[in-house]
């Protein structure tokens, strides 16, 4: 149990300083999550008030939770006043472990009391909520695996034990899904915790080295290089860890989508929808964090080329016209036939982040996208009629984590990294970003890019036309039988992670696809032959699409696997490449092979929509 009761005795000064800093960070940030847990407890009590469960069975652990939280609040106040000295490390460390252990046990006892009386739909909802809660605990306390374990393990053991006691196939299945998902997350969390500690140790060692070399003028250059190396290694770590962090989140999003057909009660469906929304928000936050890490680690190259803005305008129009319509805003886009010399991926990311920012902070009025020729440049402008930016905040609006209108740090407002990513992307090439704003009237963000006049052109052609009017027709939602009748083709699926393979296969089969799933290309070939032998795939037919993970843990990668299977099934086989990493040049290689690159985690609905599009086009 030494990993639970670690002390500073026997550690080097640097290790002791790291452990003390991590403990202080835990007591500084973790108590803030009690408000959300308290709200969740109140809502749950309201929802189960009429359940045929003796009130004492769930009120006793609920009272225990309130007592634990009250003690934690008092200790947090003491911490803010006096801090944690080195001599008090063991006492505060044990208090932190006791807090999360008691909290997890109390939630577990409540789960035991409620799962015994819950219907099948409610059991699904509770299991999904338990998994999301444990994943959140592990992600928030990823720097200290012992705290993650103490917070999640009691709840997992008690809830899974109660489900297994029922001796019902559905309950056993839910228990196994919960155990496998959280065990996988615990293993990943342990590995990340170790790597975080190693990275922190390296940074502190380099910091001490810089202090020692301060008085040695002849070694100032060396000390600076070491400090820069440490910072680069930090960015490299976060960029490399993106796959490990995305993988469990990707599995969780697939599983939550797979639960939808099994949740029929309105209350359960609503809760599952909220869980799915929360996972989507978490995915967006991670995406912004990894964008920053990839840029800082110099994993994004700026490759300028001749770019027609009309194609980019069309993609942005399709996406943001829907977002504005859903929020009740007017969407206006001025058609353009201008050409620029820029990196298409970088410019699109900049404009997409600016448009997302405009939609978020505009409650009424419009969002407007246009391009204007200014001498040798084209200025792409994003206008909005939102809250605007105060003058005193304009010099900080592009800083990391700064949000002028979110001083309370509400998680629903994001992390404040959207404009920070824009700043980093704009520095990759000659694409400066400027801001004009009037508080209460709106803002205009402008991106200046080099202008390009195609050979043979005698001037620029600008059209002023009203954007096309879209018409939508309400249609009935297809039943599962209709979906199966509509699809029925075979999807080849390759992934070396069993959880991802099972989760993706489950989602695809629910929509009527036949799935040939394996961890290798040869295994996928055998799976296709097996489907033919079972009569699920007519002999002579070919798969309709191929989905492969990029990192397969073999001597080949995803693109090699796609090339091998296209040799068997035809070069025109539509293919998707899933990745949770930021491999330089991967997007270019995928485009050259006519493979669509998708980044994890991906919404199941989006994957299904893309499959429907490519199979419809192929037909």
């Amino acid at each position: 149990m030494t990993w639970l009761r670690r002390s500073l005795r026997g550690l080097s000064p640097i290790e002791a300083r790291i452990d003390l800093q991590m403990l202080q960070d835990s007591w500084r940030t973790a108590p803030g999550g009690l408000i959300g847990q308290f709200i969740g407890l109140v809502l749950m009590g309201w929802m189960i008030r009429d359940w045929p469960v003796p009130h004492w069975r769930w009120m006793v652990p609920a009272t225990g939770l309130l007592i634990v939280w009250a003690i934690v609040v008092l200790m947090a106040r003491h911490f803010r006043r006096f801090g944690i000295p080195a001599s008090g490390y063991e006492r505060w460390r044990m208090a932190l472990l006791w807090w999360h252990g008691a909290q997890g046990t109390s939630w577990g006892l409540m789960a035991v009391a409620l799962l015994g009386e819950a219907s099948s739909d409610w059991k699904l909802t509770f299991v999904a909520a338990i998994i999301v809660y444990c994943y959140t605990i592990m992600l928030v306390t990823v720097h200290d695996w012992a705290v993650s374990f103490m917070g999640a393990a009691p709840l997992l053991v008690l809830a899974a034990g109660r489900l297994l006691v029922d001796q019902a196939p559905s309950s056993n299945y839910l228990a196994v899904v919960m155990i496998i998902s959280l065990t996988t997350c615990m293993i990943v969390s342990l590995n990340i915790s170790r790597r975080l500690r190693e990275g922190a140790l390296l940074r502190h060692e380099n910091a001490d080295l810089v202090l020692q070399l301060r008085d040695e003028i002849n070694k100032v250059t060396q000390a600076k290089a070491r400090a820069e190396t440490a910072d680069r290694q930090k960015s490299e770590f976060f960029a490399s860890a993106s796959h490990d962090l995305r993988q469990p989140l990707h599995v969780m999003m697939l599983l939550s989508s797979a639960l939808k057909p099994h949740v029929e009660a309105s209350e359960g469906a609503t809760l599952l929808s909220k869980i799915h929304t929360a996972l989507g928000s978490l995915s967006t936050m991670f995406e912004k964090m990894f964008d920053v890490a990839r840029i800082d680690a110099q994993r994004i190259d700026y490759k300028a080329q001749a770019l027609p803005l009309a194609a980019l305008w069309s993609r942005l129009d399709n996406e943001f016209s829907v977002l504005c319509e859903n929020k009740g805003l007017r969407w206006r886009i001025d058609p353009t036939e201008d050409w620029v010399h820029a990196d298409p991926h970088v410019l699109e990311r900049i404009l997409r982040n600016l448009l997302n920012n405009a939609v978020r902070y505009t409650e009424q009025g419009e969002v407007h996208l246009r391009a204007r020729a200014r001498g040798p440049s084209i200025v792409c402008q994003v206008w909005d009629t939102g809250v605007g930016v105060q003058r005193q905040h304009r010099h900080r609006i592009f800083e990391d984590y700064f949000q002028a209108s979110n001083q309370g740090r509400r998680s629903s407002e994001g992390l404040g990294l959207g404009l920070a990513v824009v700043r980093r992307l704009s520095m990759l090439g000659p694409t400066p970003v400027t801001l004009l704003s009037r508080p209460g009237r709106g803002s205009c963000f402008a991106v200046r890019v080099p202008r390009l006049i195609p050979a043979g052109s005698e001037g620029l052609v600008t059209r002023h036309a009203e954007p096309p009017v879209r018409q939508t027709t309400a249609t009935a939602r297809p039943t599962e039988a209709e979906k199966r009748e509509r699809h029925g083709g075979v999807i080849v699926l390759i992934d070396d992670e069993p959880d991802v393979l099972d989760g993706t296969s489950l989602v695809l089969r629910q929509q009527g696809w036949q799935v040939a799933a394996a961890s290798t290309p040869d295994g996928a070939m055998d799976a296709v032959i097996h489907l033919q032998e079972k009569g699920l795939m007519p002999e002579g037919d070919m798969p309709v699409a191929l989905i492969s993970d990029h990192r397969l843990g073999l001597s080949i990668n995803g693109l090699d696997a796609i090339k091998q299977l296209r040799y068997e099934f035809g070069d025109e086989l539509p293919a998707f490449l899933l990745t949770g990493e930021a491999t330089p040049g991967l997007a270019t290689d995928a485009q050259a092979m006519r493979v669509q690159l998708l980044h994890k985690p991906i919404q199941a609905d989006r994957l299904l929509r893309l499959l429907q599009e490519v199979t419809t086009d192929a037909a």
Side-chain angles (χ1 to χ4, degrees):
M1 300 295 286
T2 55
W3 57 277
L4 289 177
R5 300 186 60 184
R6 294 184 62 185
S7 68
L8 300 181
R9 290 192 298 272
L11 300 179
S12 66
I14 295 178
E15 291 177 319
R17 189 162 66 245
I18 291 173
D19 280 3
L20 183 60
Q21 181 64 48
M22 286 185 174
L23 181 63
Q24 291 173 339
D25 290 342
S26 295
W27 277 103
R28 183 179 296 110
T29 59
L34 297 182
I35 297 177
Q37 292 197 52
F38 176 78
I39 295 174
L41 178 63
V42 173
L43 289 176
M44 187 180 69
W46 179 79
M47 288 188 294
I48 66 173
R49 66 188 186 282
D50 296 326
W51 279 33
V53 180
H55 287 178
W56 66 268
R57 292 185 62 185
W58 64 269
M59 290 187 67
V60 169
T63 304
L65 274 175
L66 296 176
I67 294 173
V68 170
W69 293 341
I71 296 174
V72 169
V73 169
L74 293 176
M75 295 187 69
R77 291 182 59 186
H78 186 275
F79 164 76
R80 286 194 295 269
R81 293 183 60 186
F82 304 104
I84 301 177
S87 59
Y89 175 86
E90 294 184 35
R91 183 173 68 257
W92 282 89
R93 169 74 173 172
M94 289 305 298
L96 182 65
L97 295 174
W98 170 87
W99 161 23
H100 284 278
Q103 182 174 266
T105 303
S106 298
W107 281 115
L109 292 174
M110 293 185 66
V112 169
L114 297 177
L115 286 173
E117 300 294 333
S119 63
S120 298
D121 292 336
W122 274 104
K123 285 182 179 179
L124 286 170
T125 302
F126 281 144
V127 168
I130 289 170
I131 293 177
V132 171
Y133 172 84
C134 292
Y135 266 60
T136 303
I137 289 291
M138 293 177 191
L139 289 173
V140 171
T141 60
V142 69
H143 60 280
D144 192 336
W145 189 81
V147 176
S148 302
F149 179 84
M150 290 298 295
L155 175 55
L156 169 62
V157 171
L158 290 171
R162 182 62 188 83
L163 288 171
L164 292 174
V165 167
D166 290 346
Q167 295 295 317
S170 59
S171 297
N172 294 340
Y173 171 79
L174 291 176
V176 170
V177 168
M178 185 165 55
I179 292 172
I180 292 176
S181 299
L182 295 182
T183 301
T184 302
C185 187
M186 284 184 182
I187 295 173
V188 173
S189 177
L190 176 59
N191 293 331
I192 294 175
S193 178
R194 288 175 177 170
R195 294 171 67 181
L196 280 172
R197 182 174 174 78
E198 292 171 359
L201 182 61
L202 178 61
R203 291 196 301 272
H204 280 75
E205 288 175 347
N206 286 332
D208 281 358
L209 181 60
V210 171
L211 292 176
Q212 295 173 13
L213 298 178
R214 177 174 293 175
D215 298 329
E216 302 177 22
I217 299 177
N218 59 330
K219 295 182 180 180
V220 169
T221 303
Q222 180 183 0
K224 180 181 178 181
R226 288 178 180 271
E228 290 176 348
T229 300
D231 184 65
R232 188 162 53 252
Q233 287 176 344
K234 177 195 67 175
S235 298
E236 284 285 350
F237 161 72
F238 280 109
S240 300
S242 65
H243 181 273
D244 293 334
L245 287 172
R246 292 172 193 261
Q247 200 76 330
L249 184 59
H250 180 63
V251 175
M252 200 48 231
M253 294 179 72
L254 290 174
L255 291 176
S256 65
S257 296
L259 282 175
K260 286 183 179 179
H262 303 289
V263 179
E264 299 178 357
S266 59
E267 298 87 352
T270 301
L271 289 174
L272 187 59
S273 175
K274 292 180 179 179
I275 292 171
H276 199 68
T277 302
L279 286 171
S281 300
L282 188 61
S283 171
T284 301
M285 292 180 184
F286 271 113
E287 192 64 35
K288 293 291 178 62
M289 292 170 62
F290 292 133
D291 280 344
V292 172
R294 285 198 297 267
I295 299 171
D296 288 347
Q298 300 179 358
R299 291 196 174 188
I300 296 181
D301 297 327
Y302 189 87
K303 298 180 180 179
Q305 63 185 56
L307 175 65
L309 288 181
L312 175 57
W313 255 226
S314 177
R315 291 194 298 271
L316 296 174
D317 185 25
N318 292 335
E319 178 178 349
F320 287 94
S321 61
V322 177
L323 292 179
C324 289
E325 181 181 356
N326 291 339
K327 197 174 180 182
L329 302 175
R330 293 189 303 276
W331 165 250
R332 189 152 62 99
I333 182 170
D334 292 354
T336 178
E337 296 186 3
D338 291 320
W339 286 65
V340 297
H341 190 249
D343 186 306
H345 302 293
V346 171
L347 182 58
E348 183 171 350
R349 293 284 292 281
I350 290 175
L351 291 175
R352 178 170 279 108
N353 277 14
L354 293 177
L355 287 167
N356 275 319
N357 200 66
V359 173
R360 171 176 292 175
Y361 295 108
T362 302
E363 296 301 328
Q364 58 183 359
E366 72 173 17
V367 175
H368 183 194
L369 174 64
R370 70 178 189 179
R372 289 292 182 266
R374 296 291 185 268
S377 303
I378 295 293
V379 179
C380 303
Q381 299 175 332
V382 175
W383 293 81
D384 66 68
T385 57
V387 296
V389 182
Q390 299 290 337
R391 184 178 298 276
Q392 65 270 24
H393 294 151
R394 291 176 193 172
H395 68 288
R396 298 189 59 197
I397 199 68
F398 292 97
E399 293 180 3
D400 295 351
Y401 307 111
F402 179 79
Q403 293 176 291
S405 60
N406 188 20
Q407 300 298 326
R409 306 305 301 170
R410 296 183 298 273
S411 59
S412 60
E413 296 293 333
L415 295 176
L417 288 176
L419 292 180
V421 172
V422 168
R423 172 175 60 82
R424 285 172 166 84
L425 290 172
S426 69
M427 295 171 64
L428 295 176
T431 53
V433 179
T434 57
L435 166 65
L436 295 175
S437 183
R438 294 182 64 183
R441 300 286 298 277
S443 303
C444 173
F445 286 88
V447 186
R448 184 178 294 270
V449 290
R451 184 183 184 188
L452 184 66
I453 301 179
S457 299
E458 298 180 357
L460 295 176
V461 179
T462 304
R463 297 179 180 177
H464 300 279
E466 293 296 327
V469 178
R470 295 173 176 77
Q471 296 182 350
T472 59
T473 304
T475 58
R477 188 174 183 177
T479 64
E480 294 297 321
E482 291 172 339
K483 291 177 181 177
R484 287 179 170 82
E485 184 178 355
R486 182 187 307 169
H487 302 315
V490 175
I491 305 293
V492 178
L493 178 63
I494 304 177
D495 201 300
D496 63 333
E497 291 284 345
D499 290 342
V500 178
L501 201 65
D502 294 342
T504 310
S505 299
L506 178 60
V507 171
L508 293 175
R509 290 192 180 102
Q510 284 181 341
Q511 300 301 314
W513 303 99
Q514 298 294 337
V515 182
S519 59
T520 65
D522 292 337
M525 286 290 300
D526 293 339
V528 171
I529 295 174
H530 181 67
L531 289 177
Q532 291 176 343
E533 292 175 347
K534 293 177 63 177
L536 298 176
M537 179 181 180
E539 189 171 353
D541 280 8
M542 293 291 181
V544 296
L546 166 61
I547 304 172
S548 176
D549 188 29
H550 179 58
R551 191 170 73 174
L552 296 176
L554 305 169
S555 57
I556 64 172
N557 57 34
L559 290 177
D560 295 332
I562 292 173
K563 186 182 301 183
Q564 178 178 339
L565 290 173
R566 276 181 170 174
Y567 178 80
E568 300 291 342
F569 299 125
D571 292 338
E572 300 303 320
L573 177 64
F576 297 89
L577 184 67
L578 291 174
T579 180
E581 301 175 314
T583 305
L586 181 59
T588 302
D589 294 341
Q591 185 177 10
M593 289 182 58
R594 295 174 290 105
V595 173
Q596 189 162 349
L597 183 64
L598 303 175
H599 291 280
K600 297 179 181 179
I602 183 174
Q603 295 277 358
D605 292 342
R606 184 188 174 208
L607 178 60
L608 294 170
R609 185 173 64 253
L610 292 172
L611 282 172
Q612 181 64 28
E613 291 175 356
V614 299
T615 53
T616 300
D617 293 341

